[in-house]
Amino acid sequence: MRKLITALLAATVLVPAAASAQSYNEVRRDQREVRESRRDLDQARRYGDRGDVREARQELREDRRELRDDRRDYRQTNRGYNRGNYAGPRGYRYRPVTVGYQFQPSYYARNYWVNDWNRYRLARPGINQQWVRYGNDVVLVNIRNGRVIRTQNRFFY
């Protein structure tokens, strides 16, 4: 029974990661094919006749179409995370922040913490550090002084 449960857990964890890696590899392969098709088209323009140029253009068009479709699939499977609307503290107005910015304590209070950082594939926060949601961004904040250590913009949608 323990082996069955372990196998099921491994399958639920590894299959999405493998699917994500597969779509990423498909995008990379299609980018490589587009580059090769461009080289072939340039070579056909230099040394080939009209038929060669026509075939090279058609091949390039098909490779670009495949790349566009694979990119769309990759974006749909690897988009940001939906956690609903963000309700900031009183007087909140979004301004992009960078490393070194200092938040007021109300911006990194407990109700804005991202406690399930592992689920979102964020780095493990260190001592006196916490991932905090700020608008649609995720910010790693030193909770002692409110300084921003790391930012990830447009993380939530």
Side-chain angles (χ1 to χ4, degrees):
M1 186 69 171
R2 183 180 290 165
K3 289 181 181 179
L4 178 65
I5 292 172
T6 306
L8 289 174
L9 286 174
T12 58
V13 170
L14 295 178
V15 169
S20 175
Q22 180 182 4
S23 61
Y24 177 75
N25 290 335
E26 289 175 2
V27 169
R28 298 287 296 200
R29 186 196 69 233
D30 288 343
Q31 288 173 338
R32 200 169 25 251
E33 287 178 1
V34 167
R35 283 194 304 269
E36 290 171 2
S37 295
R38 281 188 194 138
R39 275 189 233 120
D40 292 343
L41 177 60
D42 289 341
Q43 191 172 10
R45 284 179 177 157
R46 282 191 209 114
Y47 306 113
D49 60 355
R50 287 183 184 174
D52 294 338
V53 173
R54 187 179 322 117
E55 289 175 12
R57 280 186 183 151
Q58 180 65 29
E59 184 71 28
L60 179 60
R61 217 174 293 129
E62 290 171 2
D63 290 341
R64 284 181 175 162
R65 190 174 300 127
E66 287 178 20
L67 176 62
R68 185 188 65 227
D69 293 342
D70 284 344
R71 279 184 177 161
R72 184 181 304 130
D73 293 342
Y74 180 77
R75 270 187 303 234
Q76 287 176 348
T77 58
N78 296 303
R79 53 181 10 175
Y81 298 97
N82 186 2
R83 286 228 358 213
N85 293 334
Y86 176 77
R90 174 176 250 158
Y92 162 77
R93 197 181 95 201
Y94 177 80
R95 278 171 263 148
V97 296
T98 58
V99 174
Y101 181 83
Q102 187 169 6
F103 278 118
Q104 297 297 322
S106 59
Y107 284 89
Y108 58 93
R110 253 183 213 282
N111 51 334
Y112 299 112
W113 287 7
V114 178
N115 291 321
D116 46 354
W117 48 267
N118 197 22
R119 173 181 167 214
Y120 294 116
R121 297 183 179 140
L122 295 167
R124 181 185 189 123
I127 297 171
N128 295 322
Q129 297 176 357
Q130 185 62 46
W131 286 104
V132 175
R133 181 173 180 187
Y134 175 68
N136 287 339
D137 304 342
V138 172
V139 181
L140 184 62
V141 175
N142 181 335
I143 56 174
R144 282 190 161 185
N145 59 14
R147 294 250 181 230
V148 174
I149 300 168
R150 188 186 300 173
T151 64
Q152 290 196 1
N153 297 327
R154 295 184 296 275
F155 191 79
F156 295 109
Y157 64 93

